[in-house]
Each structure stands twice: as structure tokens, then as C-alpha cells.
Short mmCIF file of all heavy atoms in Angstrom, two decimals:
data_model
loop_
_atom_site.label_atom_id
_atom_site.label_comp_id
_atom_site.label_asym_id
_atom_site.label_seq_id
_atom_site.Cartn_x
_atom_site.Cartn_y
_atom_site.Cartn_z
N MET A 1 74.03 92.78 198.55
CA MET A 1 75.28 93.49 198.21
C MET A 1 76.04 93.60 199.52
O MET A 1 75.48 93.92 200.55
CB MET A 1 74.95 94.81 197.65
CG MET A 1 76.13 95.66 197.31
SD MET A 1 77.20 95.02 196.06
CE MET A 1 76.06 94.94 194.68
N ARG A 2 77.39 93.38 199.42
CA ARG A 2 78.17 93.69 200.61
C ARG A 2 78.82 95.08 200.48
O ARG A 2 79.06 95.54 199.37
CB ARG A 2 79.27 92.64 200.74
CG ARG A 2 78.66 91.28 201.03
CD ARG A 2 79.69 90.18 201.32
NE ARG A 2 80.98 90.31 200.72
CZ ARG A 2 81.79 89.35 200.52
NH1 ARG A 2 81.54 88.11 200.86
NH2 ARG A 2 82.95 89.52 199.95
N TYR A 3 79.03 95.64 201.65
CA TYR A 3 79.65 97.03 201.64
C TYR A 3 80.85 97.02 202.48
O TYR A 3 81.06 96.24 203.39
CB TYR A 3 78.59 97.98 202.22
CG TYR A 3 77.36 98.11 201.40
CD1 TYR A 3 76.25 97.17 201.69
CD2 TYR A 3 77.21 98.91 200.34
CE1 TYR A 3 75.15 97.15 200.85
CE2 TYR A 3 76.03 98.92 199.55
CZ TYR A 3 75.01 98.07 199.87
OH TYR A 3 73.89 98.09 199.05
N ARG A 4 81.68 98.10 202.21
CA ARG A 4 82.95 98.29 203.06
C ARG A 4 83.10 99.71 203.23
O ARG A 4 82.54 100.63 202.57
CB ARG A 4 84.12 97.86 202.19
CG ARG A 4 84.20 96.37 201.83
CD ARG A 4 85.53 96.02 201.15
NE ARG A 4 85.55 94.72 200.84
CZ ARG A 4 86.57 94.07 200.45
NH1 ARG A 4 87.72 94.67 200.17
NH2 ARG A 4 86.51 92.70 200.18
N THR A 5 83.82 100.00 204.40
CA THR A 5 84.04 101.38 204.77
C THR A 5 85.14 101.91 203.81
O THR A 5 86.19 101.26 203.51
CB THR A 5 84.62 101.43 206.18
OG1 THR A 5 83.57 100.83 207.02
CG2 THR A 5 84.77 102.80 206.68
N LEU A 6 84.99 103.13 203.31
CA LEU A 6 85.85 103.80 202.44
C LEU A 6 86.99 104.49 203.22
O LEU A 6 86.74 105.49 203.94
CB LEU A 6 85.10 104.83 201.58
CG LEU A 6 85.91 105.50 200.48
CD1 LEU A 6 86.43 104.49 199.50
CD2 LEU A 6 85.08 106.51 199.72
N GLY A 7 88.17 103.91 203.08
CA GLY A 7 89.36 104.51 203.80
C GLY A 7 89.11 104.65 205.29
O GLY A 7 88.63 103.72 205.80
N SER A 8 89.49 105.82 205.87
CA SER A 8 89.27 105.97 207.22
C SER A 8 88.04 106.76 207.58
O SER A 8 87.83 107.32 208.68
CB SER A 8 90.53 106.74 207.85
OG SER A 8 90.68 107.98 207.18
N SER A 9 87.18 106.91 206.54
CA SER A 9 85.97 107.68 206.71
C SER A 9 84.84 106.78 207.30
O SER A 9 85.10 105.59 207.51
CB SER A 9 85.46 108.24 205.41
OG SER A 9 84.91 107.14 204.54
N ASP A 10 83.71 107.33 207.52
CA ASP A 10 82.59 106.56 207.99
C ASP A 10 81.66 106.17 206.82
O ASP A 10 80.62 105.57 206.99
CB ASP A 10 81.70 107.40 208.97
CG ASP A 10 82.42 107.60 210.32
OD1 ASP A 10 83.27 106.72 210.68
OD2 ASP A 10 82.23 108.62 211.01
N LEU A 11 82.11 106.53 205.61
CA LEU A 11 81.28 106.24 204.44
C LEU A 11 81.37 104.73 204.03
O LEU A 11 82.51 104.30 203.89
CB LEU A 11 81.85 107.15 203.34
CG LEU A 11 81.06 107.08 202.00
CD1 LEU A 11 79.58 107.53 202.18
CD2 LEU A 11 81.75 107.87 200.94
N GLU A 12 80.21 104.13 203.81
CA GLU A 12 80.20 102.76 203.30
C GLU A 12 79.78 102.77 201.94
O GLU A 12 78.86 103.43 201.48
CB GLU A 12 79.22 101.99 204.15
CG GLU A 12 79.82 101.57 205.53
CD GLU A 12 78.93 100.51 206.18
OE1 GLU A 12 77.72 100.31 205.87
OE2 GLU A 12 79.40 99.98 207.17
N VAL A 13 80.54 101.97 201.12
CA VAL A 13 80.24 101.83 199.56
C VAL A 13 80.19 100.35 199.27
O VAL A 13 80.72 99.56 200.05
CB VAL A 13 81.31 102.52 198.75
CG1 VAL A 13 81.36 104.03 199.00
CG2 VAL A 13 82.70 102.00 198.99
N SER A 14 79.52 100.06 198.22
CA SER A 14 79.34 98.73 197.80
C SER A 14 80.71 98.13 197.30
O SER A 14 81.56 98.88 196.86
CB SER A 14 78.37 98.61 196.56
OG SER A 14 78.76 99.42 195.49
N GLU A 15 80.87 96.83 197.50
CA GLU A 15 82.11 96.24 197.10
C GLU A 15 82.27 96.16 195.60
O GLU A 15 83.33 96.05 195.12
CB GLU A 15 82.26 94.78 197.64
CG GLU A 15 82.39 94.76 199.16
CD GLU A 15 82.69 93.32 199.63
OE1 GLU A 15 82.40 92.32 198.90
OE2 GLU A 15 83.17 93.20 200.74
N ILE A 16 81.16 96.26 194.86
CA ILE A 16 81.26 96.26 193.43
C ILE A 16 80.92 97.71 192.94
O ILE A 16 80.05 98.33 193.56
CB ILE A 16 80.11 95.35 192.82
CG1 ILE A 16 80.44 93.88 193.34
CG2 ILE A 16 80.04 95.41 191.36
CD1 ILE A 16 79.29 92.92 192.95
N SER A 17 81.75 98.18 192.07
CA SER A 17 81.42 99.46 191.45
C SER A 17 81.03 99.43 190.07
O SER A 17 81.25 98.40 189.36
CB SER A 17 82.70 100.39 191.58
OG SER A 17 83.71 99.94 190.72
N LEU A 18 80.40 100.42 189.58
CA LEU A 18 79.98 100.55 188.19
C LEU A 18 81.03 101.61 187.58
O LEU A 18 81.00 102.77 187.89
CB LEU A 18 78.64 101.10 188.02
CG LEU A 18 78.22 101.35 186.63
CD1 LEU A 18 78.14 100.05 185.69
CD2 LEU A 18 76.78 101.96 186.69
N GLY A 19 81.89 101.18 186.66
CA GLY A 19 82.74 102.02 185.92
C GLY A 19 82.04 102.67 184.81
O GLY A 19 81.26 101.95 184.14
N SER A 20 82.26 104.00 184.66
CA SER A 20 81.36 104.65 183.63
C SER A 20 82.07 105.59 182.63
O SER A 20 81.50 105.90 181.63
CB SER A 20 80.32 105.47 184.32
OG SER A 20 80.99 106.44 185.15
N TRP A 21 83.30 105.84 182.85
CA TRP A 21 83.92 106.84 182.04
C TRP A 21 83.97 106.45 180.51
O TRP A 21 83.49 107.15 179.67
CB TRP A 21 85.40 107.13 182.44
CG TRP A 21 86.09 108.20 181.64
CD1 TRP A 21 85.75 109.53 181.48
CD2 TRP A 21 87.18 107.96 180.70
NE1 TRP A 21 86.54 110.02 180.52
CE2 TRP A 21 87.42 109.19 180.11
CE3 TRP A 21 87.90 106.81 180.38
CZ2 TRP A 21 88.39 109.34 179.09
CZ3 TRP A 21 88.98 106.95 179.45
CH2 TRP A 21 89.09 108.14 178.84
N LEU A 22 84.55 105.28 180.15
CA LEU A 22 84.61 104.96 178.73
C LEU A 22 83.25 104.60 178.13
O LEU A 22 83.03 104.87 177.04
CB LEU A 22 85.51 103.65 178.60
CG LEU A 22 87.01 103.98 178.78
CD1 LEU A 22 87.72 102.63 178.77
CD2 LEU A 22 87.56 104.82 177.77
N THR A 23 82.38 104.09 179.00
CA THR A 23 81.06 103.73 178.50
C THR A 23 80.16 104.85 178.31
O THR A 23 79.44 105.07 177.30
CB THR A 23 80.38 102.70 179.50
OG1 THR A 23 81.28 101.63 179.73
CG2 THR A 23 79.11 102.19 178.96
N TYR A 24 80.05 105.79 179.22
CA TYR A 24 79.15 106.85 179.26
C TYR A 24 79.65 108.18 178.76
O TYR A 24 78.81 109.20 178.64
CB TYR A 24 78.59 107.06 180.65
CG TYR A 24 77.88 105.86 181.25
CD1 TYR A 24 77.99 105.51 182.48
CD2 TYR A 24 77.16 104.99 180.39
CE1 TYR A 24 77.44 104.49 183.05
CE2 TYR A 24 76.53 103.87 180.95
CZ TYR A 24 76.68 103.58 182.23
OH TYR A 24 76.10 102.49 182.77
N SER A 25 80.78 108.30 178.42
CA SER A 25 81.46 109.61 177.87
C SER A 25 81.17 109.74 176.42
O SER A 25 81.96 110.25 175.70
CB SER A 25 82.93 109.64 178.13
OG SER A 25 83.59 108.68 177.37
N GLY A 26 80.02 109.24 175.92
CA GLY A 26 79.64 109.40 174.50
C GLY A 26 79.38 108.15 173.81
O GLY A 26 78.98 108.18 172.64
N GLY A 27 79.64 106.96 174.45
CA GLY A 27 79.49 105.74 173.81
C GLY A 27 78.11 105.16 173.90
O GLY A 27 77.80 104.30 173.08
N ILE A 28 77.32 105.64 174.78
CA ILE A 28 75.87 105.07 174.96
C ILE A 28 74.88 106.23 175.07
O ILE A 28 75.24 107.26 175.75
CB ILE A 28 75.80 104.13 176.24
CG1 ILE A 28 76.65 102.94 176.01
CG2 ILE A 28 74.44 103.72 176.64
CD1 ILE A 28 76.73 101.94 177.14
N GLU A 29 73.72 106.01 174.52
CA GLU A 29 72.71 107.00 174.65
C GLU A 29 72.23 107.28 176.10
O GLU A 29 72.37 106.41 176.99
CB GLU A 29 71.47 106.58 173.74
CG GLU A 29 71.80 106.48 172.28
CD GLU A 29 72.35 105.04 172.00
OE1 GLU A 29 72.21 104.15 172.80
OE2 GLU A 29 73.00 104.94 170.87
N ALA A 30 71.69 108.42 176.29
CA ALA A 30 71.28 108.84 177.66
C ALA A 30 70.23 107.93 178.27
O ALA A 30 70.33 107.61 179.46
CB ALA A 30 70.74 110.31 177.64
N ASP A 31 69.28 107.42 177.49
CA ASP A 31 68.27 106.52 178.12
C ASP A 31 68.87 105.21 178.53
O ASP A 31 68.44 104.68 179.60
CB ASP A 31 67.12 106.25 177.08
CG ASP A 31 67.52 105.68 175.81
OD1 ASP A 31 68.69 105.82 175.39
OD2 ASP A 31 66.64 105.01 175.12
N ARG A 32 69.81 104.66 177.73
CA ARG A 32 70.49 103.45 178.22
C ARG A 32 71.34 103.71 179.48
O ARG A 32 71.47 102.81 180.34
CB ARG A 32 71.35 102.89 177.06
CG ARG A 32 70.46 102.30 175.99
CD ARG A 32 71.27 101.53 174.95
NE ARG A 32 70.45 101.08 173.85
CZ ARG A 32 70.92 100.32 172.96
NH1 ARG A 32 72.21 100.07 172.84
NH2 ARG A 32 70.13 99.79 172.02
N THR A 33 72.01 104.89 179.49
CA THR A 33 72.90 105.15 180.60
C THR A 33 71.99 105.24 181.91
O THR A 33 72.32 104.73 182.90
CB THR A 33 73.53 106.56 180.32
OG1 THR A 33 74.36 106.52 179.21
CG2 THR A 33 74.24 106.97 181.63
N ARG A 34 70.87 105.84 181.76
CA ARG A 34 69.96 106.00 182.92
C ARG A 34 69.47 104.61 183.36
O ARG A 34 69.46 104.32 184.48
CB ARG A 34 68.77 106.85 182.59
CG ARG A 34 67.72 106.98 183.75
CD ARG A 34 66.57 107.86 183.45
NE ARG A 34 66.95 109.26 183.27
CZ ARG A 34 67.21 110.08 184.27
NH1 ARG A 34 67.03 109.72 185.46
NH2 ARG A 34 67.56 111.37 183.91
N ALA A 35 69.13 103.74 182.41
CA ALA A 35 68.58 102.42 182.75
C ALA A 35 69.66 101.63 183.46
O ALA A 35 69.41 100.88 184.41
CB ALA A 35 68.11 101.70 181.55
N CYS A 36 70.87 101.68 182.98
CA CYS A 36 72.03 101.04 183.61
C CYS A 36 72.34 101.46 184.95
O CYS A 36 72.50 100.66 185.93
CB CYS A 36 73.32 101.08 182.71
SG CYS A 36 74.55 100.04 183.25
N THR A 37 72.38 102.80 185.13
CA THR A 37 72.52 103.39 186.49
C THR A 37 71.48 103.03 187.43
O THR A 37 71.66 102.70 188.59
CB THR A 37 72.64 104.86 186.30
OG1 THR A 37 73.74 105.17 185.36
CG2 THR A 37 73.00 105.51 187.65
N GLU A 38 70.15 103.14 186.99
CA GLU A 38 69.15 102.68 187.90
C GLU A 38 69.16 101.20 188.31
O GLU A 38 68.90 100.85 189.39
CB GLU A 38 67.73 102.98 187.21
CG GLU A 38 67.51 104.50 187.21
CD GLU A 38 66.24 104.86 186.44
OE1 GLU A 38 65.55 104.04 185.84
OE2 GLU A 38 65.92 106.08 186.42
N ALA A 39 69.56 100.33 187.35
CA ALA A 39 69.71 98.97 187.71
C ALA A 39 70.82 98.71 188.68
O ALA A 39 70.69 97.85 189.55
CB ALA A 39 70.00 98.12 186.32
N ALA A 40 71.86 99.45 188.54
CA ALA A 40 72.97 99.36 189.54
C ALA A 40 72.47 99.82 190.93
O ALA A 40 72.70 99.08 191.93
CB ALA A 40 74.13 100.26 189.15
N PHE A 41 71.78 100.86 191.01
CA PHE A 41 71.16 101.29 192.29
C PHE A 41 70.21 100.25 192.81
O PHE A 41 70.30 99.86 194.00
CB PHE A 41 70.41 102.59 192.20
CG PHE A 41 71.24 103.87 192.19
CD1 PHE A 41 71.22 104.83 191.27
CD2 PHE A 41 72.00 104.05 193.46
CE1 PHE A 41 71.97 105.96 191.39
CE2 PHE A 41 72.77 105.22 193.52
CZ PHE A 41 72.79 106.22 192.54
N ASP A 42 69.33 99.62 191.94
CA ASP A 42 68.50 98.65 192.49
C ASP A 42 69.16 97.46 193.02
O ASP A 42 68.76 96.78 193.82
CB ASP A 42 67.57 98.12 191.27
CG ASP A 42 66.52 99.26 190.91
OD1 ASP A 42 66.28 100.19 191.72
OD2 ASP A 42 65.95 99.17 189.82
N ALA A 43 70.37 97.13 192.46
CA ALA A 43 71.22 95.91 192.85
C ALA A 43 71.93 96.32 194.09
O ALA A 43 72.66 95.48 194.66
CB ALA A 43 72.09 95.59 191.79
N GLY A 44 71.88 97.57 194.56
CA GLY A 44 72.63 97.90 195.76
C GLY A 44 74.00 98.60 195.61
O GLY A 44 74.73 98.88 196.50
N ILE A 45 74.35 98.89 194.38
CA ILE A 45 75.63 99.46 194.06
C ILE A 45 75.50 100.93 194.38
O ILE A 45 74.63 101.64 193.98
CB ILE A 45 75.99 99.34 192.52
CG1 ILE A 45 76.30 97.83 192.26
CG2 ILE A 45 77.18 100.14 192.17
CD1 ILE A 45 76.53 97.49 190.86
N THR A 46 76.56 101.41 195.14
CA THR A 46 76.61 102.73 195.59
C THR A 46 77.88 103.37 195.31
O THR A 46 78.15 104.60 195.68
CB THR A 46 76.39 102.85 197.15
OG1 THR A 46 77.37 102.12 197.82
CG2 THR A 46 74.98 102.42 197.52
N PHE A 47 78.82 102.62 194.56
CA PHE A 47 80.19 103.14 194.25
C PHE A 47 80.29 103.18 192.78
O PHE A 47 80.14 102.20 192.04
CB PHE A 47 81.17 102.17 194.81
CG PHE A 47 82.59 102.45 194.42
CD1 PHE A 47 83.11 103.71 194.48
CD2 PHE A 47 83.50 101.35 194.42
CE1 PHE A 47 84.35 103.99 194.17
CE2 PHE A 47 84.78 101.56 194.19
CZ PHE A 47 85.30 102.92 194.02
N PHE A 48 80.43 104.44 192.26
CA PHE A 48 80.58 104.66 190.76
C PHE A 48 81.85 105.32 190.47
O PHE A 48 82.20 106.29 190.99
CB PHE A 48 79.36 105.62 190.37
CG PHE A 48 78.07 104.96 190.53
CD1 PHE A 48 77.37 105.04 191.78
CD2 PHE A 48 77.40 104.38 189.40
CE1 PHE A 48 76.19 104.37 191.91
CE2 PHE A 48 76.18 103.79 189.57
CZ PHE A 48 75.52 103.82 190.80
N ASP A 49 82.53 104.56 189.54
CA ASP A 49 83.97 105.05 189.16
C ASP A 49 83.83 105.92 187.98
O ASP A 49 83.52 105.38 186.87
CB ASP A 49 84.78 103.86 188.96
CG ASP A 49 86.26 104.22 188.51
OD1 ASP A 49 86.56 105.41 188.46
OD2 ASP A 49 87.04 103.33 188.26
N THR A 50 84.04 107.24 188.12
CA THR A 50 83.98 108.18 187.01
C THR A 50 85.32 108.68 186.49
O THR A 50 85.36 109.61 185.72
CB THR A 50 83.04 109.27 187.30
OG1 THR A 50 83.45 110.02 188.37
CG2 THR A 50 81.71 108.72 187.61
N ALA A 51 86.50 108.16 187.07
CA ALA A 51 87.73 108.68 186.81
C ALA A 51 88.02 108.53 185.33
O ALA A 51 87.58 107.56 184.63
CB ALA A 51 88.74 107.87 187.48
N ASN A 52 88.85 109.38 184.78
CA ASN A 52 89.06 109.31 183.43
C ASN A 52 90.61 109.10 183.08
O ASN A 52 91.08 109.33 182.01
CB ASN A 52 88.69 110.60 182.61
CG ASN A 52 89.33 111.84 183.07
OD1 ASN A 52 90.17 111.82 183.95
ND2 ASN A 52 89.13 112.95 182.47
N ALA A 53 91.41 108.69 184.08
CA ALA A 53 92.75 108.41 183.94
C ALA A 53 93.18 107.28 184.75
O ALA A 53 92.55 106.95 185.68
CB ALA A 53 93.49 109.67 184.18
#
């Protein structure tokens, strides 16, 4: 996984994010949500988009 600095901060996040608002806001059961999130972490994803607008 490649990472980039977020804005002018020292925080580095993965170039790929996992979008979650439409998927996890009631569309998928909790156990599947956990499995997908854990797989994302295992793949090195550290950027999660939870915006709803």
C-alpha cells in the first residue's frame, strides 16, 4: 500500500480509502461490516470515508 501525507499535517493515510456511509449505514450486517473493515486494515488501508454528504 502506498501512503500520502494528509494536507499540511504529519498524518499519513493510504492512497486507497474504504467508503462506508451508504454500505454500512444499515445496508450490511455487523459481522460483514467487521470482516470488510478488518480486511481493509490487513491490506494496509488507513483512510476510511464516512461522510454522508
Side-chain angles (χ1 to χ4, degrees):
M1 181 62 61
R2 294 186 335 198
Y3 299 89
R4 294 185 182 188
T5 303
L6 184 62
S8 61
S9 73
D10 292 331
L11 182 64
E12 286 191 341
V13 296
S14 57
E15 288 187 344
I16 298 173
S17 70
L18 176 64
S20 62
W21 178 68
L22 289 175
T23 306
Y24 301 143
S25 65
I28 293 183
E29 298 83 20
D31 59 335
R32 289 188 180 183
T33 298
R34 178 177 298 277
C36 186
T37 303
E38 289 176 355
F41 275 124
D42 290 344
I45 294 174
T46 60
F47 178 31
F48 293 83
D49 179 0
T50 60
N52 65 357

